[in-house]
């Protein structure tokens, strides 16, 4: 190839690269526009919101809305800041994620490397659970929670999310463990290792990518859930999504859009932090289990 052709190819590559970066930057700006509007609105007072434009900068930084969204109370005691409900969500999310991840890992390990009579039927039933709409299980789950005596409690919501999440976590771990050589497990059995020894010393140490995937998936699903939260929680055990809905739809003496936007950003912060800190491992973990089906 001549030097002229090489220069033309190099120039074309640079132009395409610049065009790609410009396109990605434009799409990122479009994607972030709602968040920018929310952030700017949360830093303005009500009069400035009504008289200004959505993208106008605040005249001065005012964090009053953030304080009221977090701990303020409405007149009459019918609504309050989202702080206690923020804590409720963590009390629901953390045990639900841990339990569903552990159970899903054990199920995936069993289905992949400890075949038993009916194992395929068991996996098909779990797979079917991934496609059952939330609305279908509301009534039977409500009766189950009442029978167990954990209705309108955070324990009940943990139970609901574990039951519904196990199907997804099992599928993730099963696909990942299918790529683990069966000879490795068989060799461990011949050496006298039992079920839990193999799982703890061989399977679990190589499961970090898929564990990260399930934690991100479950954390996001449970934290953002509204339907189960509004259906199975009491007034004092509501998750932050239900509290946010109540705050936004309750007003006294005028709508405070700055408080609503601040509360929405606060409610979204945990999931944003999870994706920022561990997002790069999410795709890596998904593709790690895509070698064998």
């Amino acid at each position: 190839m001549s030097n002229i052709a090489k220069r033309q190819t190099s120039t074309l590559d640079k132009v395409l690269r610049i065009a790609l970066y410009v396109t990605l930057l434009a799409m990122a700006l479009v994607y972030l526009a709602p968040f920018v509007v929310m952030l700017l609105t949360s830093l303005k007072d009500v009069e400035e919101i009504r008289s200004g434009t959505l993208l106008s900068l605040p005249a001065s930084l005012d964090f009053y809305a953030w304080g009221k969204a977090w701990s303020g109370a409405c007149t009459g005691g019918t609504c309050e800041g989202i702080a206690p409900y923020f804590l409720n969500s963590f009390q629901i999310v953390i045990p639900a994620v841990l339990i569903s991840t552990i159970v899903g890992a054990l199920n995936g390990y069993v289905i992949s490397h400890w075949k038993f009579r009916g194992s395929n039927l068991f996996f098909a039933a779990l797979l079917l659970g991934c496609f059952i709409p939330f609305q279908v299980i509301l009534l039977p789950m409500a009766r189950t929670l009442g029978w167990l005596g954990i209705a309108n409690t955070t324990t009940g919501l943990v139970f609901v999310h574990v039951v519904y999440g196990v199907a997804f976590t099992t599928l993730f771990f099963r696909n990942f463990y299918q790529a683990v050589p069966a000879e490795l497990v068989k060799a461990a059995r011949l050496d006298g290792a039992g079920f839990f020894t193999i799982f703890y010393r061989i399977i679990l140490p190589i499961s970090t990518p898929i564990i990260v995937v399930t934690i991100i998936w479950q954390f996001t699903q449970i934290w953002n859930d509204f339907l189960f939260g509004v259906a199975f929680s009491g007034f004092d055990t509501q998750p932050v999504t239900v509290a946010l809905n109540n705050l936004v739809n309750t007003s006294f003496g005028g709508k405070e859009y700055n408080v609503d936007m601040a509360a929405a950003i606060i409610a979204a912060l945990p999931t944003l932090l999870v994706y920022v800190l561990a997002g790069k491992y999410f795709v890596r973990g998904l593709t790690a289990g895509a070698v064998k089906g």
Side-chain angles (χ1 to χ4, degrees):
M1 182 180 295
S2 64
N3 292 333
I4 297 177
K6 289 181 179 180
R7 291 196 196 97
Q8 291 177 343
T9 302
S10 178
T11 302
L12 180 60
D13 289 341
K14 290 180 180 178
V15 171
L16 292 176
R17 188 179 296 110
I18 293 173
L20 177 61
Y21 288 155
V22 170
T23 302
L24 291 176
L25 179 60
M27 296 303 298
L29 292 176
V30 171
Y31 185 79
L32 291 173
F35 177 77
V36 173
V37 171
M38 291 172 62
L39 182 61
L40 293 176
T41 303
S42 69
L43 297 174
K44 302 175 183 177
D45 58 36
V46 177
E47 293 302 324
E48 188 177 357
I49 293 172
R50 292 172 179 171
S51 60
T53 61
L54 289 176
L55 293 176
S56 62
L57 296 176
S60 61
L61 294 180
D62 185 0
F63 294 95
Y64 163 79
W66 288 75
K68 187 170 183 179
W70 179 251
S71 58
C74 298
T75 304
T78 56
C79 69
E80 58 183 0
I82 64 173
Y85 308 104
F86 197 84
L87 180 60
N88 286 344
S89 287
F90 274 110
Q91 292 176 340
I92 296 167
V93 168
I94 292 176
V97 169
L98 292 178
I99 295 172
S100 60
T101 300
I102 293 172
V103 175
L106 287 170
N107 285 344
Y109 168 52
V110 170
I111 294 173
S112 300
H113 296 286
W114 291 77
K115 295 294 184 179
F116 57 91
R117 180 177 296 180
S119 60
N120 291 332
L121 181 62
F122 175 70
F123 175 67
L126 285 174
L127 189 61
L128 179 64
C130 297
F131 300 98
I132 298 178
F134 286 11
Q135 295 81 357
V136 173
I137 69 170
L138 290 181
L139 182 58
M141 185 61 74
R143 293 178 63 89
T144 301
L145 294 178
W147 178 70
L148 294 174
I150 54 176
N152 299 328
T153 65
T154 54
T155 303
L157 283 171
V158 170
F159 177 80
V160 171
H161 287 296
V162 168
V163 170
Y164 206 89
V166 162
F168 292 96
T169 58
T170 298
L171 178 63
F172 289 154
F173 278 102
R174 182 261 182 186
N175 289 343
F176 184 83
Y177 292 153
Q178 283 290 98
V180 177
E183 292 76 13
L184 184 63
V185 176
K186 292 179 181 178
R189 290 186 193 177
L190 292 176
D191 289 338
F195 176 87
F196 288 103
T197 301
I198 296 174
F199 178 75
Y200 181 74
R201 294 188 177 275
I202 298 177
I203 300 297
L204 201 58
I206 63 175
S207 302
T208 301
I210 199 62
I211 289 175
V212 173
V213 168
T214 55
I215 288 176
I216 294 177
W217 174 272
Q218 281 293 86
F219 186 95
T220 305
Q221 294 296 314
I222 298 172
W223 186 273
N224 291 335
D225 169 70
F226 176 79
L227 181 61
F228 288 162
V230 75
F232 301 131
S233 67
F235 179 77
D236 294 330
T237 59
Q238 294 173 349
V240 69
T241 49
V242 179
L244 177 62
N245 177 74
N246 295 338
L247 177 66
V248 170
N249 291 294
T250 306
S251 61
F252 295 88
K255 191 67 174 173
E256 295 182 305
Y257 294 102
N258 52 351
V259 177
D260 296 344
M261 295 302 178
I265 294 175
I266 293 173
L269 281 178
T271 51
L272 289 175
L273 289 176
V274 167
Y275 272 108
V276 168
L277 297 177
K280 65 179 180 180
Y281 301 105
F282 187 77
V283 176
R284 186 183 305 174
L286 286 176
T287 56
V291 179
K292 295 173 66 176

